Amino acid sequence: MDDDARDTQNTILIQDGASDLISNEQKKNKKKKIIIIVIVVSAVVAIALALTLYFLLRPAPIPIDEKYYYDPNEPIMNYTVNKTIIKLGIISDFQLNDKKNNYERNLKKTLETMKSENVDAILMAGDIVDTGYQEEYDKYKSILNSVYTDSNTKPYIFEIMGNHEYYTTKRRKIGYDLEKNIKIFRENFDKYPFYHTKINQFHFIFWSMQNYDNKFEYRIHTDWIEKHIKLAEDDLKNKGDPIFIITHAPAKFTVYGSEEESGTTQAFDIFKKYENVFVISGHSHRSLRHERSIWQQEFTAINTQSIAYAALSYNYTNSSDIVDKSADSYMGFIANLYEEKIEIKRYFFHVDTQMEPWIVPFPLKKENFNYTIDQRKMDFGVPYIWNNNIELTKTSNGYQVKFYHAFHNLAIHSYIFKYIDTSNKNQEIQIYGDYYLHDYKVNNTEPKYFTVSDIDINKQYSLTAIDFFQNEAKY
């Protein structure tokens, strides 16, 4: 072999060796990347699993001694209203804080309306303050005293603790101090979180939330509420008279919003034993325009909205607009309590307007219940589509859908738009009606709009109007 051939062969061998080295190095790097990816993915999955298990299986907050919640020797407190009709103001969820918002304005206007209406008692169903600090309680008392300047004409006022009254330490550092939260509440109102009163012949039992967490709010000291329901039952002037229970979280699967996180099964399991229990709750912020804010089945329940803002479910296309628009649509109740019935008026306090009242007759017996879902579903009928025209217009974000409000003798809760996207997949979106606004127009003839980002306009689509009781009508 000549020198040139030998050099060529050596060059080839060197190149082959280098290629093998590079190939091996690439394989090692690739293997390292795979290992790193596996480690990262495993870590993410492990963290996600740990967080999931924590929120699902975390133990309830340690129950604190009953002495913090109530006085076992405290008698039922009696109050007298020298009228044949007791006028009640019923509100919740002011969530007063140090942020810039309209909550103070809303509460002051609400109390001014109640003063002008000469209410005899105000029932406050929790979340008076936002994070449980003394400054917030001071703000509440300052607003209250600025409206009711004369203690001789001030109505009876009854407060309870919601979940926000327990947030003192949650918002500013890790950990909770339930005893401290309860102590602050008691020092400000000179009352326990649980207490029992009578106004004339009627019993009012005030049952605060017991901690900050929706999952564990009514698991401890439930014997107290059952004891006091039975005490009230034994003392009723007329069998079947209401036993009013003022609490923060609604009983599960009763009023609108209770089917979600805000509802509590523990409360429902207690109340269902007593058909004359009349539960007043807050917590969910759901609009009082929704006709399921009153419920009757095993017992009777109503849910206040909020003086701070209204909130609806967030799985609707226009949900993000709701809170901003509802800031000027804060609501509560003013009720006339007669010996034989209660007349409940829903108020938009900022404009001093009210809706048609709910009238609940006594005695409270299941066979007399007029506000069951099945009954009202039949009473109000299906929506009416007076104009079934649906227009789609191309925009930079997809397509704008234009349609006309359906008619109904109450209001339209929402609309469902079903369509096929450009990947040939079935899709649907939900759009709230405007019922939560104080200036909502029944049988509105104006158009309504929403946007769909990805739709195949050459394929079938549909729109359905839905009322408060799931009665439907298709366009």
Side-chain angles (χ1 to χ4, degrees), residues 130-142:
D130 191 37
T131 56
Y133 278 87
Q134 184 58 50
E135 307 90 77
E136 297 172 348
Y137 283 105
D138 290 341
K139 185 174 289 188
Y140 161 71
K141 290 187 287 187
S142 175

Side-chain angles (χ1 to χ4, degrees), residues 63-85:
I64 61 175
D65 194 275
E66 64 185 27
K67 68 182 179 183
Y68 292 96
Y69 290 107
Y70 62 90
D71 178 358
N73 300 314
E74 184 176 48
I76 296 172
M77 295 172 282
N78 290 279
Y79 298 85
T80 301
V81 172
N82 293 314
K83 300 177 183 176
T84 56
I85 303 170

Side-chain angles (χ1 to χ4, degrees), residues 283-376:
H283 193 42
S284 73
H285 291 236
R286 295 301 190 264
S287 173
L288 287 185
R289 269 197 173 275
H290 199 297
E291 289 295 330
R292 276 188 49 222
S293 295
I294 184 171
W295 175 92
Q296 288 186 306
Q297 196 70 41
E298 280 79 9
F299 52 93
T300 301
I302 61 173
N303 199 68
T304 69
Q305 183 180 303
S306 166
I307 299 305
Y309 62 90
L312 307 180
S313 298
Y314 287 96
N315 56 343
Y316 287 70
T317 296
N318 57 338
S319 295
S320 59
D321 300 331
I322 302 299
V323 171
D324 291 338
K325 290 182 177 178
S326 70
D328 286 326
S329 296
Y330 51 97
M331 298 184 72
F333 297 116
I334 293 181
N336 292 320
L337 179 57
Y338 301 79
E339 186 166 340
E340 73 282 359
K341 66 180 179 181
I342 185 169
E343 178 186 55
I344 307 162
K345 301 175 183 179
R346 292 168 282 173
Y347 264 78
F348 286 103
F349 290 114
H350 74 299
V351 287
D352 287 331
T353 60
Q354 57 183 282
M355 299 178 64
E356 285 293 317
W358 298 321
I359 299 174
V360 180
F362 309 147
L364 289 176
K365 294 184 178 294
K366 291 179 183 178
E367 59 265 28
N368 299 333
F369 287 173
N370 297 320
Y371 291 93
T372 64
I373 292 176
D374 290 343
Q375 181 62 49
R376 303 187 86 203

Side-chain angles (χ1 to χ4, degrees), residues 321-435:
D321 300 331
I322 302 299
V323 171
D324 291 338
K325 290 182 177 178
S326 70
D328 286 326
S329 296
Y330 51 97
M331 298 184 72
F333 297 116
I334 293 181
N336 292 320
L337 179 57
Y338 301 79
E339 186 166 340
E340 73 282 359
K341 66 180 179 181
I342 185 169
E343 178 186 55
I344 307 162
K345 301 175 183 179
R346 292 168 282 173
Y347 264 78
F348 286 103
F349 290 114
H350 74 299
V351 287
D352 287 331
T353 60
Q354 57 183 282
M355 299 178 64
E356 285 293 317
W358 298 321
I359 299 174
V360 180
F362 309 147
L364 289 176
K365 294 184 178 294
K366 291 179 183 178
E367 59 265 28
N368 299 333
F369 287 173
N370 297 320
Y371 291 93
T372 64
I373 292 176
D374 290 343
Q375 181 62 49
R376 303 187 86 203
K377 185 179 177 74
M378 291 188 296
D379 289 345
F380 294 116
V382 300
Y384 169 65
I385 310 301
W386 68 277
N387 185 336
N388 62 2
N389 186 39
I390 303 172
E391 299 177 16
L392 276 70
T393 304
K394 180 66 176 174
T395 68
S396 59
N397 298 323
Y399 280 87
Q400 182 187 70
V401 182
K402 173 185 175 182
F403 69 100
Y404 289 86
H405 291 266
F407 284 2
H408 197 275
N409 57 2
L410 282 177
I412 300 299
H413 173 263
S414 57
Y415 300 87
I416 294 182
F417 184 69
K418 295 183 178 182
Y419 62 97
I420 299 172
D421 65 19
T422 53
S423 300
N424 203 37
K425 294 180 180 178
N426 292 318
Q427 304 285 357
E428 70 174 46
I429 59 175
Q430 300 178 90
I431 307 98
Y432 271 120
D434 299 329
Y435 71 89

Side-chain angles (χ1 to χ4, degrees), residues 11 13 18 28 44 70 76 96 250 365:
T11 300
L13 290 171
K28 288 180 181 178
V44 171
Y70 62 90
I76 296 172
L96 296 172
K365 294 184 178 294

Side-chain angles (χ1 to χ4, degrees), residues 65-319:
D65 194 275
E66 64 185 27
K67 68 182 179 183
Y68 292 96
Y69 290 107
Y70 62 90
D71 178 358
N73 300 314
E74 184 176 48
I76 296 172
M77 295 172 282
N78 290 279
Y79 298 85
T80 301
V81 172
N82 293 314
K83 300 177 183 176
T84 56
I85 303 170
I86 304 169
K87 184 168 282 192
L88 304 171
I90 304 170
I91 49 179
S92 76
D93 295 88
F94 323 147
Q95 296 177 358
L96 296 172
N97 55 50
D98 57 3
K99 300 172 185 175
K100 292 183 178 180
N101 50 45
N102 294 321
Y103 300 175
E104 295 173 52
R105 176 206 67 179
N106 295 0
L107 177 58
K108 185 173 183 181
K109 182 64 179 71
T110 297
L111 293 173
E112 287 171 346
T113 299
M114 292 189 174
K115 183 177 182 181
S116 67
E117 291 285 333
N118 295 314
V119 299
D120 301 301
I122 302 177
L123 315 179
M124 298 183 175
D127 278 8
I128 295 164
V129 296
D130 191 37
T131 56
Y133 278 87
Q134 184 58 50
E135 307 90 77
E136 297 172 348
Y137 283 105
D138 290 341
K139 185 174 289 188
Y140 161 71
K141 290 187 287 187
S142 175
I143 295 169
L144 186 64
N145 292 331
S146 72
V147 175
Y148 289 104
T149 56
D150 184 354
S151 59
N152 294 319
T153 59
K154 190 175 183 179
Y156 300 126
I157 297 177
F158 304 100
E159 300 95 348
I160 62 168
M161 298 180 74
N163 54 310
H164 277 259
E165 277 76 22
Y166 288 101
Y167 281 176
T168 307
T169 49
K170 177 181 179 182
R171 294 294 174 87
R172 303 193 185 183
K173 65 179 180 180
I174 296 174
Y176 299 89
D177 189 343
L178 302 187
E179 294 178 12
K180 178 181 177 181
N181 301 133
I182 293 172
K183 181 181 178 183
I184 294 172
F185 177 85
R186 288 180 57 186
E187 287 175 347
N188 279 278
F189 300 128
D190 192 28
K191 63 186 67 164
Y192 283 85
F194 301 176
Y195 58 101
H196 185 166
T197 71
K198 281 181 70 177
I199 304 178
N200 293 0
Q201 73 194 60
F202 295 102
H203 284 263
F204 294 82
I205 303 173
F206 295 86
W207 195 34
S208 291
M209 282 183 65
Q210 298 156 29
N211 49 53
Y212 48 84
D213 194 320
N214 288 350
K215 290 185 66 176
F216 310 115
E217 53 206 9
Y218 293 108
R219 287 190 183 180
I220 58 177
H221 308 316
T222 55
D223 54 335
W224 183 91
I225 188 68
E226 296 224 51
K227 172 185 174 182
H228 281 266
I229 291 173
K230 290 171 182 174
L231 285 173
E233 190 75 45
D234 292 341
D235 185 59
L236 291 180
K237 179 179 178 181
N238 303 303
K239 187 172 177 58
D241 273 353
I243 299 171
F244 294 101
I245 297 177
I246 296 81
T247 190
H248 188 59
K252 196 80 168 176
F253 302 118
T254 57
V255 292
Y256 176 51
S258 66
E259 65 277 6
E260 300 176 17
E261 186 183 39
S262 63
T264 165
T265 54
Q266 296 96 345
F268 181 88
D269 290 341
I270 293 170
F271 299 151
K272 70 181 182 181
K273 304 173 189 176
Y274 310 95
E275 64 182 353
N276 60 325
V277 155
F278 193 116
V279 180
I280 298 169
S281 61
H283 193 42
S284 73
H285 291 236
R286 295 301 190 264
S287 173
L288 287 185
R289 269 197 173 275
H290 199 297
E291 289 295 330
R292 276 188 49 222
S293 295
I294 184 171
W295 175 92
Q296 288 186 306
Q297 196 70 41
E298 280 79 9
F299 52 93
T300 301
I302 61 173
N303 199 68
T304 69
Q305 183 180 303
S306 166
I307 299 305
Y309 62 90
L312 307 180
S313 298
Y314 287 96
N315 56 343
Y316 287 70
T317 296
N318 57 338
S319 295

